[in-house]
Amino acid sequence: MRFPLSWLEEYVDIDVSPEELKDIFNFSGMKVETMDRPGAEIDGVVVAEVLNIVEHPNADTLLLVDVRWADGAERLATGDGVQRVVCGAKNFAVGDRVPLARVGARLPGVEITERKIRGEVSRGMLCSGAELGVSKDHSGILVLPSDTELGADVVKTLGLDDIIFDLEITPNRGDSMGLIGIAREVAALLGTEFRIPTLHVPPSDVPNPIEVRIDDPSACHRYVARYIEDVTIKPSPSWMAARLLAAGVRPISNVVDITNYVLLETSQPLHAFDARQISDNRIHVRRAKAGEKLTTLDDVERTMQRDDLLICDPKRPLGIAGVMGGENSEVADDTTTVILEVASFDSASISYTSRSHKLWTEASARFERGVDPEGAAFAAARACMLLAELAGGRVSADVVDEYPSPPKPRSVTLRPSRTDHLLGYEVPEDEQVSLLRSIGFEVETAGNLLKVGVPSFRPDIQREVDLIEEVARLAGFDRLPATIPRGHAGGLTAEQQAERRVHQILSGAGLSEAWTSSLVSPKDIDALGLPADHPARRMVALAHPMTEDQSVLRTTLLPSLLRSVARNVAQRAPGVALYEIARIYEPSTEDLPQEAEVIAAAFTGERASKHWRAKPEQWDFFAAKGVLEALLDGLRLDAPRFRPVTGHPFHPTRAAAVSVNEAPLGALGELHPEVCKRFDVPEGTVAFEFALAPILSALPPRPQVELLDKYPAIYIDLAFVVDVDVPAERIGDLIAKVGEPEVVNVVLFDIYTGEQIPAGKKSLAYSLEIRVGDRTLTDEEADVVKDRILGAVKERTGAELRT
């Protein structure tokens, strides 16, 4: 729920700072997602009027727009107060007032300069809502209300100097999806006055000809219909448009804006119909017929299902109840009579329809959480008052109100002593009474009990423990005492300890942990270029995805991780090293998909910040290989084996399959250039992905303390000349095996090709540590071990000792 602080202050007195209010929200269970000052990074953007629009002579998709933003003393360089800008949007017309970022103006992350675009000089830029931070719409210029003052600072005009809160509202708190509900909470938390708008609908003699019929009262609990004549459609006043924009809603017209304004105010969705389009002024709330079609306001023709609830007239559907209206009855520029719908629909029904049609709206979000049917009449009257004030409408005094089964008053018994027992600290009875009354509950004392009347806007309160939670929330969760649970405290399992160790090792190696969504797009999996039979191509699709970009469960972590790398690179990070430990999902014959925990990492750019004492090193295959080896060594696993592999998503000659004790883990390699291009990451980006289960199953027992060796070791170096296609790992393994038990450590310390080495050969140099536990080895004994190794290596690989 997004709103400007100044709007909230209309309903409640706030005597604390915004930062303190943020803490109060968080401690009361209403999490603050963001608290922004959107105008802090904007300067020099003013309100301008469009004077003329012509096509760009050198570009079909661009326009040349003449605008003026000043009169009188403040003239532009041209002397007539007019300047020209080049613009790609086409959603505005001559006479519109729009935001103009003048030359020298500052927007988030950019300063506006005069520049040539396809041969035409642009002295400034017209701004979209997204560029000003008031919406996510990049598609067009933000058109301001016609009464907006010319030359005014856009930051002040749009209220961008206000503080914008965005709260995460839990699914059980539909009442907090409106400013009045939030204000009620703030008043209770601060102990200040709570105010709701005073209603006054001007009287008229207009009759209300509407008839409403509800087929299924379990799906439509209440339907209020108001009738308004002599409406004039025009832009909303600037104060309303600014509030809507600050709340993330695009202004459309005064009538539509009023319905959105009251929705944000009361949490009650409303819809306005053009009365001319309603046959016989009769509204029928019914279930859809299979295959019935309706084109909704987003210009999409939708095929209805039997369980969908529709708003209809005698001839046709007019809208999807609680989700979106129909194009055939929307308010138009020439609308003069409006039928206002204020209804309460079943949350499960709306949730089903919204998901089945992949259609999420402000209305459906509120109905899914539950809308108070008792609030419908207030919201209808509030909207009618604004329609009379801002659209000149004459409101019929007759209210059509179909309310088949009004809910009976509910009460829940609370034991104050039970509150103290569950919370672990004492809350005096009178304080519990005061806290509950502050949020609209009626409380009566009956001996040692409290009889609490639950208001209709709180359907989530069903049991005594719900009331105790309200007391704890209003008293402040920070008052809860910190206690240690009684009894034996369990420790971490070996697997949990190992996973924690993995985080420590990777963080210590300079990697940052990433958290990405488990929902991805099938296109992301395709972008890896995997073969058709690769397991990652067997995806689990969602029945009702919210978007195409989140329509399947991930089968690999790499796409999301690479997207994160790309975002960091786009922000000019000199180097990126990310890892993630998370679950992937595979199809199963059971009802639910199989889950497996994997670890993945991606590396690109510089390994460390630039410093005058050291030349920056780059992440490459061997650096990433070193991280992997350090990880496995830190878990006390045997050294991994690397075997060359080919195939996407890796480079054909710079990738390896990795195993430990013959158990395959996964693959490590430089990504194929085509894959890098698809994910917008630099060429040379390296990645690995491994199943976590084989790593955890191979964990050795807890190490035992051993005495240090009493006797010194003998160290010798051996260099072998072998064919270039002989793996260094093979030689090292052979030395360790043949040298047992005296050889306790083998390290490859040099690989050389060049002068003094024949063509087709390479030199591999190893350092050997030789010791026994019961005595000091003599040189003669060490030579025996050395000869045994030389003979075996020459016999099995054809290697020659380099002298």
Side-chain angles (χ1 to χ4, degrees):
M1 175 66 189
R2 179 183 168 95
F3 59 88
L5 180 59
S6 61
W7 192 358
L8 179 65
E9 288 175 323
E10 281 207 359
Y11 314 106
V12 60
D13 294 325
I14 299 175
D15 54 6
V16 297
S17 70
E19 289 72 20
E20 290 174 304
L21 181 61
K22 176 182 177 181
D23 291 339
I24 289 169
F25 275 135
N26 286 329
F27 278 120
S28 69
M30 300 177 69
K31 179 183 175 183
V32 177
E33 288 282 357
T34 59
M35 187 184 78
D36 297 328
R37 293 174 172 83
E41 298 183 69
I42 300 174
D43 183 53
V45 183
V46 297
V47 178
E49 181 181 5
V50 178
L51 300 180
N52 189 39
I53 303 173
V54 296
E55 298 288 338
H56 193 296
N58 304 318
D60 295 337
T61 59
L62 299 178
L63 300 174
L64 303 180
V65 185
D66 293 328
V67 296
R68 69 183 179 97
W69 57 270
D71 288 313
E74 193 169 13
R75 292 294 185 181
L76 303 179
T78 56
D80 58 2
V82 177
Q83 67 186 92
R84 173 165 286 186
V85 297
V86 179
C87 182
K90 299 183 179 181
N91 65 312
F92 55 94
V94 172
D96 283 345
R97 301 216 163 175
V98 295
L100 168 68
R102 298 176 292 169
V103 173
R106 183 169 50 86
L107 292 171
V110 64
E111 183 173 335
I112 304 303
T113 59
E114 180 178 303
R115 59 195 184 109
K116 272 192 176 184
I117 302 177
R118 302 294 293 271
E120 294 289 333
V121 176
S122 181
R123 296 181 175 86
M125 183 181 79
L126 302 185
C127 303
S128 68
E131 287 157 341
L132 295 173
V134 298
S135 75
K136 297 181 179 179
D137 185 8
H138 287 272
S139 61
I141 300 304
L142 179 63
V143 178
L144 302 170
S146 57
D147 66 343
T148 307
E149 180 186 353
L150 189 66
D153 184 351
V154 164
V155 169
K156 295 187 179 296
T157 299
L158 297 181
L160 300 181
D161 53 348
D162 206 339
I163 294 171
I164 309 298
F165 280 92
D166 195 352
L167 303 185
E168 179 184 300
I169 306 300
T170 56
N172 66 320
R173 292 301 305 274
D175 62 302
S176 295
M177 291 290 283
L179 279 157
I180 289 177
I182 295 172
R184 182 186 294 110
E185 294 284 319
V186 172
L189 294 166
L190 297 180
T192 56
E193 182 185 357
F194 167 55
R195 301 178 294 273
I196 61 174
T198 302
L199 300 181
H200 174 68
V201 181
S204 77
D205 57 358
V206 175
N208 188 341
I210 307 168
E211 296 180 18
V212 175
R213 173 184 163 193
I214 300 174
D215 280 2
D216 186 355
S218 67
C220 179
H221 305 144
R222 187 177 188 182
Y223 196 104
V224 176
R226 301 295 300 260
Y227 190 79
I228 306 98
E229 289 186 348
D230 298 337
V231 169
T232 301
I233 305 297
K234 57 184 178 181
S236 294
S238 55
W239 64 266
M240 177 175 281
R243 284 185 172 178
L244 292 176
L245 284 167
V249 177
R250 180 174 62 91
I252 298 173
S253 69
N254 54 351
V255 171
V256 176
D257 293 349
I258 286 168
T259 63
N260 287 328
Y261 187 90
V262 176
L263 173 143
L264 294 171
E265 190 176 53
T266 66
S267 79
Q268 168 67 60
L270 307 90
H271 186 70
F273 296 100
D274 187 332
R276 296 173 302 178
Q277 309 301 328
I278 310 299
S279 179
D280 300 331
N281 289 316
R282 290 163 58 192
I283 291 176
H284 185 189
V285 185
R286 62 170 174 82
R287 296 290 184 181
K289 302 168 186 175
E292 201 167 10
K293 296 185 182 299
L294 171 67
T295 300
T296 46
L297 288 171
D298 56 356
D299 199 29
V300 175
E301 184 181 67
R302 303 182 186 276
T303 301
M304 299 295 110
Q305 304 175 47
R306 288 187 182 276
D307 288 329
D308 293 334
L309 191 67
L310 298 181
I311 308 299
C312 309
D313 67 9
K315 296 181 179 179
R316 57 183 180 169
L318 304 173
I320 304 176
V323 181
M324 184 176 284
E327 192 179 60
N328 55 16
S329 57
E330 68 176 319
V331 172
D333 291 343
D334 60 347
T335 297
T336 58
T337 304
V338 168
I339 295 175
L340 182 68
E341 167 194 286
V342 187
S344 177
F345 300 110
D346 177 62
S347 58
S349 175
I350 301 305
S351 179
Y352 168 81
T353 296
S354 177
R355 280 161 174 72
S356 62
H357 291 283
K358 301 178 185 178
L359 187 57
W360 289 269
T361 62
E362 292 286 348
S364 67
R366 285 161 174 79
F367 281 122
E368 287 183 30
R369 284 173 168 80
V371 171
D372 178 19
E374 291 292 303
F378 175 88
R382 174 66 168 154
C384 287
M385 185 178 80
L386 292 172
L387 286 168
E389 178 184 341
L390 304 180
R394 294 193 305 132
V395 182
S396 172
D398 299 327
V399 180
V400 174
D401 188 355
E402 288 296 318
Y403 202 178
S405 302
K408 296 179 180 179
R410 293 184 300 111
S411 64
V412 177
T413 300
L414 173 63
R415 295 165 290 174
S417 59
R418 182 64 176 165
T419 301
D420 298 343
H421 176 72
L422 286 184
L423 299 187
Y425 68 95
E426 182 181 356
V427 183
E429 181 178 323
D430 58 346
E431 183 181 353
Q432 296 187 41
V433 171
S434 177
L435 291 173
L436 292 172
R437 285 176 175 167
S438 71
I439 54 173
F441 289 73
E442 296 179 357
V443 185
E444 296 180 6
T445 302
N448 295 327
L449 305 177
L450 299 179
K451 184 178 181 182
V452 182
V454 180
S456 58
F457 57 79
R458 291 300 304 273
D460 57 309
I461 304 298
Q462 300 289 334
R463 303 173 298 162
E464 181 184 37
V465 71
D466 297 330
L467 292 174
I468 295 173
E469 180 184 358
E470 291 300 295
V471 171
R473 190 175 61 80
L474 295 170
F477 288 134
D478 55 326
R479 286 177 60 179
L480 292 173
T483 58
I484 299 175
R486 295 179 180 177
H488 176 70
L492 297 176
T493 66
E495 290 77 11
Q496 291 171 329
Q497 291 175 345
E499 189 167 325
R500 181 173 292 185
R501 180 67 180 142
V502 169
H503 285 286
Q504 294 171 343
I505 294 169
L506 293 180
S507 297
L511 280 71
S512 299
E513 185 179 8
W515 288 58
T516 64
S517 173
S518 58
L519 302 177
V520 298
S521 167
K523 295 178 182 178
D524 285 340
I525 306 297
D526 293 341
L528 293 175
L530 303 172
D533 59 349
H534 195 283
R537 285 196 172 275
R538 298 174 59 235
M539 292 170 274
V540 179
L542 272 64
H544 304 297
M546 295 181 67
T547 66
E548 177 64 24
D549 289 341
Q550 295 183 322
S551 59
V552 298
L553 290 169
R554 62 186 174 197
T555 53
T556 167
L557 300 184
L558 288 181
S560 300
L561 209 54
L562 293 176
R563 296 291 184 204
S564 297
V565 170
R567 281 191 290 272
N568 280 272
V569 170
Q571 296 296 320
R572 300 184 179 180
V576 184
L578 300 176
Y579 78 92
E580 183 172 15
I581 300 174
R583 296 184 183 278
I584 61 172
Y585 305 86
E586 300 173 352
S588 168
T589 56
E590 306 295 330
D591 292 338
L592 297 175
Q594 289 183 332
E595 301 181 19
E597 198 163 23
V598 299
I599 178 172
F603 313 81
T604 192
E606 296 178 3
R607 293 175 58 184
S609 301
K610 292 180 179 179
H611 194 277
W612 65 272
R613 295 182 61 186
K615 185 178 180 181
E617 296 182 354
Q618 301 293 310
W619 284 110
D620 59 12
F621 175 89
F622 293 101
K625 177 174 176 284
V627 169
L628 177 60
E629 289 172 328
L631 171 62
L632 299 178
D633 182 65
L635 296 174
R636 296 180 291 107
L637 296 176
D638 291 340
R641 294 180 178 273
F642 297 88
R643 177 177 55 82
V645 293
T646 59
H648 276 57
F650 295 113
H651 191 285
T653 62
R654 301 170 191 172
V658 185
S659 62
V660 171
N661 295 332
E662 306 302 326
L665 299 184
L668 158 75
E670 184 178 308
L671 294 176
H672 196 286
E674 292 179 359
V675 175
C676 293
K677 184 177 180 180
R678 292 170 193 152
F679 285 96
D680 292 325
V681 297
E683 284 195 25
T685 296
V686 182
F688 66 68
E689 185 170 38
F690 304 106
L692 207 55
I695 295 177
L696 298 179
S697 64
L699 291 173
R702 178 174 295 186
Q704 302 297 315
V705 175
E706 295 182 355
L707 293 175
L708 293 175
D709 291 307
K710 294 182 179 180
Y711 304 100
I714 294 177
Y715 296 92
I716 63 174
D717 293 341
L718 297 177
F720 297 95
V721 178
V722 298
D723 294 338
V724 292
D725 59 352
V726 175
E729 183 181 57
R730 181 183 174 191
I731 303 291
D733 289 347
L734 186 56
I735 293 172
K737 186 175 181 179
V738 174
E740 289 180 339
E742 295 89 352
V743 175
V744 296
N745 192 30
V746 180
V747 176
L748 173 70
F749 69 87
D750 184 55
I751 301 176
Y752 176 73
T753 58
E755 294 182 9
Q756 302 176 355
I757 302 297
K761 301 286 186 177
K762 63 183 177 182
S763 170
L764 302 176
Y766 298 86
S767 176
L768 282 63
E769 180 182 351
I770 305 175
R771 72 164 74 237
V772 292
D774 58 352
R775 68 186 187 282
T776 300
L777 284 173
T778 65
D779 290 341
E780 291 75 13
E781 289 175 315
D783 287 340
V784 171
V785 175
K786 174 182 173 181
D787 292 340
R788 189 169 75 228
I789 292 171
L790 293 176
V793 171
K794 180 176 181 180
E795 178 184 348
R796 300 183 192 181
T797 67
E800 295 287 346
L801 181 66
R802 182 182 174 192
T803 57

